[in-house]
């Protein structure tokens, strides 16, 4: 391994101080937890399960694996179809929107990075409720945005506070529903009432990454009111309920004029052809998706009942995770890690966001928590 000299380190520090954009000073490198296999080997465990990143514990449809294995690689030397034509038309039919309303990205993270790059200039304001997904704010700040954060109220969005925070400098508004990290859900009627009071020139981004887990019909999604609001944008992903987090495919639904602008800003070959094959296979297996959603619902009910029984403060959940408060989160996390369950705190010091495990691990984990907290 090469060792950095003192001169190299000093030059690096000088470069970062004087050459990097000032708007990136707030950023810190993402430091992931150990891979489960690494923890398993390190602690000589029979198994290790990561329950801190809202990944699907059920994995993708078997049809995804079949589709990947059938890919011969014959077109590996060619750039992919930048429009993702097959997936685009399948989603357009499902959502009943025009095919040109879609923009595809390498997961929703890339879209969250692309939006301020497309619409935000230095001094513009980006409005968020908090706590919510932190990337909305951090990526907008890179492009010089001023973040206006309105604290959530009564386990949900403070709609009056959000309305009051809109100014003539507001450029983007993010609404996460169901919300990450709290898992709470706002009714579509509340979102619509808010949209009625937002000026048309402000883009409202409705992040529905976890919508499938609600079990609600699409009539309760923002897509149902999409045609009524020219400034509404909806984000969805294959990372969560479809179990394709490693495949990296997200999509957004925008009105065609906005979609054309965003599509011009993203890099043209950001989603691979193999990714499209996997996402399309997963999307077409709606029966498997329904099984995952139902298994998640059953496990979610057990956890909410458990948290009530343990008298632990928690948010209502409509996702594949729950968020709750414990007296000493660090101690509980360390205890559970020794048994192969990887958890972490989120947003507040003693609040844990727990990805829902499968039924077997859920029963064992609740027993371990009951013993640790008693």
């Amino acid at each position: 391994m090469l060792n950095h000299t003192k001169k190299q380190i000093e030059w690096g520090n000088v470069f970062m101080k004087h050459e990097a954009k000032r708007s990136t000073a707030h950023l810190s490198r993402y430091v992931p937890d150990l891979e489960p296999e690494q923890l398993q080997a390190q602690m000589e465990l029979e198994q290790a399960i990561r329950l801190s990143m809202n990944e699907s514990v059920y994995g993708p449809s078997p049809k995804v694996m079949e589709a990947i294995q059938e890919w011969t690689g014959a077109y590996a030397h060619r750039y992919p179809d930048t429009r993702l034509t097959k997936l685009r038309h399948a989603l357009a039919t499902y959502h009943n929107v025009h095919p040109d309303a879609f923009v595809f990205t390498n997961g929703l993270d890339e879209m969250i990075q692309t939006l301020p790059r497309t619409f935000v200039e230095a001094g513009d304001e980006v409005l968020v409720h908090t706590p919510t997904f932190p990337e909305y704010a951090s990526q907008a700040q890179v492009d010089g945005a001023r973040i206006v954060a309105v604290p959530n109220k009564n386990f949900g969005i403070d709609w009056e506070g959000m309305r009051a925070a809109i100014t003539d400098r507001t450029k983007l508004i993010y609404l996460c529903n169901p919300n990450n990290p709290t898992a709470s859900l706002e009714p579509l009627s509340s979102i619509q009432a808010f949209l009625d009071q937002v000026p048309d020139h402000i883009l409202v981004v409705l992040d529905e990454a976890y919508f499938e887990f609600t079990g609600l019909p699409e009539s309760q999604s923002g897509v149902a009111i999409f045609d009524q609001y020219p400034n509404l944008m909806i984000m969805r992903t294959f990372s969560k309920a479809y179990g394709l987090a490693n495949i990296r495919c997200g999509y957004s639904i925008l009105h065609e004029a906005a979609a054309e602008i965003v599509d011009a800003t993203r890099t043209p070959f950001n989603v691979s052809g193999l990714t499209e094959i996997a996402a399309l296979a997963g999307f077409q297996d709606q029966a498997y998706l329904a099984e995952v959603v139902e298994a998640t619902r059953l496990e979610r009910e057990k956890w909410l009942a458990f948290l009530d029984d343990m008298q632990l403060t928690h948010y209502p959940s409509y996702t594949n995770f729950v968020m709750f408060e414990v007296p000493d989160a660090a101690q509980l996390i360390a205890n559970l890690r020794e048994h192969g369950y990887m958890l972490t705190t989120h947003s507040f010091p003693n609040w844990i966001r727990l990805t829902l495990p499968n039924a077997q691990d859920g029963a064992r984990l609740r027993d371990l928590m009951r013993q640790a907290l008693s």
Side-chain angles (χ1 to χ4, degrees):
M1 181 180 292
L2 294 175
N3 293 318
H4 294 293
T5 65
K6 182 178 180 181
K7 184 176 182 180
Q8 287 173 320
I9 295 172
E10 289 176 349
W11 178 87
N13 290 338
V14 169
F15 178 83
M16 290 302 297
K17 182 176 180 179
H18 294 287
E19 302 300 330
K21 292 169 62 175
R22 280 179 290 180
S23 60
T24 66
H26 69 286
L27 297 175
S28 57
R29 177 185 293 174
Y30 178 70
V31 181
D33 200 348
L34 293 174
E35 290 296 310
E37 295 78 9
Q38 293 173 317
L39 180 66
Q40 184 176 353
Q42 186 182 93
M43 301 186 68
E44 298 181 350
L45 299 166
E46 291 185 6
Q47 68 167 5
I49 300 174
R50 183 165 59 192
L51 299 174
S52 58
M53 297 183 69
N54 300 347
E55 298 157 321
S56 170
V57 298
Y58 304 104
S61 160
K63 293 182 180 179
V64 171
M65 305 313 298
E66 293 173 9
I68 290 174
Q69 289 166 4
E70 290 174 1
W71 187 65
T72 64
Y75 303 109
H77 64 290
R78 284 167 38 177
Y79 287 107
D81 173 11
T82 188
R83 283 184 57 78
L84 282 72
T85 304
K86 292 180 180 178
L87 183 59
R88 176 183 297 272
H89 284 279
L91 290 170
T93 299
Y94 178 79
H95 289 298
N96 193 29
V97 296
H98 195 280
D100 288 341
F102 291 88
V103 177
F104 294 92
T105 46
N106 189 271
L108 288 184
D109 299 275
E110 186 190 13
M111 178 55 74
I112 293 167
Q113 182 184 55
T114 301
L115 284 174
R117 182 183 178 190
T118 305
F119 295 108
V120 171
E121 297 181 280
D124 286 342
E125 294 177 352
V126 172
L127 178 58
V128 299
H129 55 97
T130 185
T132 193
F133 191 50
E135 289 298 306
Y136 305 146
S138 63
Q139 293 302 321
Q141 285 175 302
V142 171
D143 288 282
R146 175 178 177 266
I147 305 302
V148 179
V150 177
N152 292 338
K153 183 178 181 181
N154 298 326
F155 295 95
I157 295 175
D158 179 0
W159 293 111
E160 289 300 325
M162 292 288 285
R163 292 185 191 99
I166 296 173
T167 73
D168 57 2
R169 296 296 296 172
T170 305
K171 187 62 70 73
L172 293 175
I173 299 175
Y174 283 100
L175 304 175
C176 190
N177 196 54
N179 187 39
N180 178 17
T182 64
S184 52
L185 178 74
E186 299 291 341
L188 185 60
S189 58
S190 296
I191 294 170
Q192 190 163 13
F194 177 70
L195 285 166
D196 286 338
Q197 300 184 52
V198 176
D200 288 346
H201 67 276
I202 300 173
L203 183 63
V204 179
V205 183
L206 180 59
D207 186 346
E208 293 188 336
Y210 296 91
F211 182 80
E212 289 84 359
F213 285 120
T214 67
L216 294 171
E218 287 292 325
S219 61
Q220 296 303 306
S221 157
V223 182
I225 60 171
F226 173 71
D227 285 341
Q228 301 176 40
Y229 300 95
N231 58 333
L232 176 61
M233 167 183 168
I234 296 143
M235 298 197 300
R236 292 286 189 92
T237 183
F238 288 96
S239 294
K240 304 304 180 183
Y242 287 98
L244 293 174
N246 205 326
I247 295 294
R248 313 307 300 135
C249 186
Y251 66 94
S252 298
I253 303 173
L254 306 84
H255 289 274
E256 292 170 43
E260 185 174 353
I261 296 171
V262 175
D263 219 19
T265 306
R266 70 172 178 88
T267 55
F269 304 110
N270 56 338
V271 180
S272 75
L274 187 55
T275 291
E276 182 183 12
I277 288 171
L280 182 59
F283 176 71
Q284 290 175 333
D285 194 353
Q286 290 294 312
Y288 179 79
L289 176 66
E291 292 175 7
V292 169
V293 170
E294 177 62 11
T296 301
R297 183 190 67 80
L298 293 172
E299 188 62 21
R300 184 168 63 217
E301 289 181 355
K302 294 174 185 176
W303 276 96
L304 293 175
F306 168 77
L307 295 172
D308 285 338
D309 183 57
M310 295 295 293
Q311 298 183 355
L312 297 174
T313 302
H314 63 88
Y315 283 84
S317 175
Y318 296 86
T319 65
N320 69 328
F321 59 90
V322 291
M323 188 173 179
F324 57 92
E325 185 180 22
V326 294
D328 190 340
Q331 182 178 352
L332 177 62
I333 289 169
N335 180 298
L336 296 175
R337 198 177 183 89
E338 292 179 359
H339 295 276
Y341 294 106
M342 305 167 68
L343 285 70
T344 187
T345 54
H346 203 297
S347 300
F348 308 111
N350 283 315
W351 283 78
I352 293 174
R353 189 192 64 183
L354 166 71
T355 305
L356 298 173
N358 62 30
Q360 181 178 350
D361 285 308
R364 180 168 183 251
L365 187 53
R366 287 190 295 274
D367 285 341
L368 290 170
M369 284 182 57
R370 189 175 285 108
Q371 295 170 23
L373 294 171
S374 62

